[in-house]
Amino acid sequence: MLPFATESGRAAEPITALFTATSAVCVTGLVIEDTGTYWSGFGEAVILGLIQIGGFGIMTLASLLGLLVARRLRMRLQLSAQAETKTMGVGDVRRVVLGVLRISVLVELVVAVLLTWRFADGYGYGWGRATYLGVFHAVSAFNNAGFGLFPDSLMRFTTDPLICLPISAAVIIGGLGFPVLFELRRELRTPRKWSLHTKITVGMTVMLLAAGWVAISAAEWTNPDTMGPLSLGGKLLAGFVAAVMPRTAGFNSLDVGQMNDVTLLIHNVLMFIGGGSAGTAGGIKVTTFALLGFVMLAEIRGEPSVHALGRRLPAGVQRQALTIALLGVAAVASSTLALLALTPLKLDQVLFEVTSAFGTVGLSTGITADVGTAGHVILSVLMFIGRLGPITSVTALALRERTRRYERPEERPIVG
């Protein structure tokens, strides 16, 4: 709210400052005012710092919570750089924190260099401005924040693979989660040694990216306001970027407000699922979604236990996945109902905005500034819940797991 945080020199409205700060530290990307034109260099630096702190802090916290869960439950889990974590001493904490820091700096540095070169060589920016643009967008992309310094996000670079692909790569890497990145660093060439968590995360990420790419491209292929005027290569690139960003980055190379209802629904599904655990992405996480699929498959087959990729899933994990998914549905449904009651906006617009906030995505159909003060408060709370809720909820559920010394008489209600 400091006056020199804005270009005009006037203090930002409290709700604008609160919403922007929440969106940045929760690495979401929803904004009331355009980042590049409303905020001064100081304001942009504050936003960038919040993105880095929010992403790094949440990733580290999630990884340490994984270690804590492993310790309390005496489970063999590959949630850190070790294959087995039954204790969490100072060395474990140090390895997690330093590992997260090294990966963050490495990826952001590589992407920043590529973007800086492209901005300077391809678009005529001076090296100072190009470096600033490259660093800002690299940090925002790796942390899945979606904040950009251009009013149209990446729409001016829709057909430029040298801008879109490095940013997309940073989004995907950050969204995999650090437990997966640690393991891939050691066992990249031996997939058979991967833990179940890594297999599910990598497999679901590839499947959702491919399915989203095909579905969004097919839905928007002839839309004159999005992909219609593009060449074949431009359409394929734009479709790929559109499939990556709901995972949950928030950049857009196509006008989201001009997409058809089918595409918006596809985005809602991808945003709600999100990315990998203990990473920079939001949503209920791909592992949660996959576990529910394995549970459904076992029930359909009439099997007494749930198996996934050659491993049996504990009943507690199944209940946790179901709880996280239903809590997410409840948060999105209640917030959508509240915004519909408070604004004259349409259901598809409100549902998209709410799902984007819960999944900490940052994509919008253009209504963020129109939901009013009460709506901004609701979205701010939803971003906070969406960023921390799934992590803290599943950890609390895991740590509260205990053995019951007796059972009640069994009775089966009618299901379905």
Side-chain angles (χ1 to χ4, degrees):
M1 291 178 59
L2 295 173
F4 52 88
T6 65
E7 287 286 1
S8 65
R10 294 190 298 269
E13 292 293 327
I15 188 61
T16 300
L18 173 64
F19 189 91
T20 305
T22 305
S23 182
V25 79
C26 293
V27 289
T28 302
L30 289 175
V31 294
I32 298 176
E33 302 287 350
D34 176 62
T35 304
T37 57
Y38 182 80
W39 302 103
S40 65
F42 172 79
E44 293 169 4
V46 172
I47 292 173
L48 189 64
L50 288 175
I51 291 172
Q52 188 69 79
I53 293 171
F56 178 77
I58 291 170
M59 291 179 294
T60 305
L61 175 63
S63 298
L64 294 179
L65 287 176
L67 287 172
L68 179 61
V69 171
R71 178 190 179 190
R72 289 288 294 273
L73 298 183
R74 301 288 196 263
M75 293 171 60
R76 293 174 61 90
L77 297 175
Q78 291 185 334
L79 290 177
S80 69
Q82 306 177 98
E84 181 178 5
T85 54
K86 290 188 177 180
T87 60
M88 188 179 65
V90 176
D92 299 312
V93 176
R94 184 182 296 112
R95 279 192 291 272
V96 170
V97 173
L98 292 179
V100 170
L101 180 61
R102 281 194 294 266
I103 292 176
S104 299
V105 171
L106 176 62
V107 175
E108 291 171 359
L109 180 61
V110 171
V111 174
V113 169
L114 294 175
L115 293 179
T116 297
W117 170 78
R118 183 56 179 167
F119 284 134
D121 184 68
Y123 295 93
Y125 289 100
W127 282 104
R129 179 61 177 172
T131 301
Y132 180 66
L133 291 172
V135 170
F136 191 99
H137 288 86
V139 172
S140 182
F142 177 72
N143 288 283
N144 279 220
F147 279 87
L149 296 178
F150 301 103
D152 57 358
S153 189
L154 300 181
M155 290 175 59
R156 64 186 65 190
F157 309 114
T158 302
T159 58
D160 188 347
L162 298 180
I163 295 291
C164 292
L165 291 183
I167 290 178
S168 297
V171 170
I172 295 172
I173 294 172
L176 284 175
F178 283 85
V180 174
L181 294 177
F182 288 152
E183 189 167 344
L184 290 180
R185 184 178 61 182
R186 302 191 320 270
E187 306 289 354
L188 180 62
R189 298 183 179 181
T190 53
R192 59 185 178 81
K193 295 183 179 180
W194 292 356
S195 66
L196 179 61
H197 175 77
T198 297
K199 290 178 180 178
I200 291 177
T201 301
V202 174
M204 287 301 301
T205 296
V206 172
M207 290 174 57
L208 289 174
L209 284 175
W213 188 4
V214 172
I216 292 173
S217 297
E220 295 294 321
W221 196 265
T222 58
N223 187 340
D225 297 317
T226 55
M227 286 189 185
L230 302 178
S231 64
L232 176 60
K235 290 180 178 180
L236 293 177
L237 177 61
F240 177 74
V241 174
V244 170
M245 296 311 165
R247 304 303 317 290
T248 52
F251 293 105
N252 61 285
S253 63
L254 297 173
D255 189 349
V256 178
Q258 299 300 321
M259 292 179 176
N260 58 51
D261 292 340
V262 174
T263 309
L264 294 181
L265 181 58
I266 296 170
H267 274 70
N268 284 335
V269 173
L270 294 176
M271 291 189 298
F272 186 77
I273 295 173
S277 300
T280 59
I284 64 171
K285 303 298 189 291
V286 292
T287 46
T288 302
F289 182 72
L291 291 179
L292 293 177
F294 288 123
V295 171
M296 292 174 57
L297 184 60
E299 185 63 28
I300 292 172
R301 291 176 173 176
E303 297 176 348
S305 59
V306 180
H307 289 200
L309 305 179
R311 294 290 186 271
R312 181 172 59 85
L313 298 179
V317 173
Q318 301 170 39
R319 294 195 303 270
Q320 291 164 19
L322 180 62
T323 301
I324 294 300
L326 291 181
L327 286 175
V329 171
V332 170
S334 59
S335 300
T336 300
L337 181 62
L339 284 183
L340 286 174
L342 293 170
T343 67
L345 299 169
K346 297 188 299 181
L347 173 61
D348 56 344
Q349 295 175 314
V350 171
L351 179 61
F352 190 94
E353 195 83 5
V354 167
T355 307
S356 179
F358 171 76
T360 66
V361 180
L363 292 174
S364 175
T365 57
I367 66 169
T368 308
D370 302 325
V371 298
T373 301
H376 291 144
V377 172
I378 292 173
L379 291 177
S380 296
V381 173
L382 196 60
M383 287 188 288
F384 195 80
I385 293 174
R387 194 68 191 109
L388 298 181
I391 295 174
T392 54
S393 297
V394 75
T395 303
L397 289 169
L399 295 179
R400 285 174 56 85
E401 185 171 298
R402 52 186 175 266
T403 302
R404 177 176 290 173
R405 299 183 183 277
Y406 62 91
E407 289 293 343
R408 301 288 186 180
E410 183 177 290
E411 182 175 352
R412 295 178 64 89
I414 298 175
V415 179

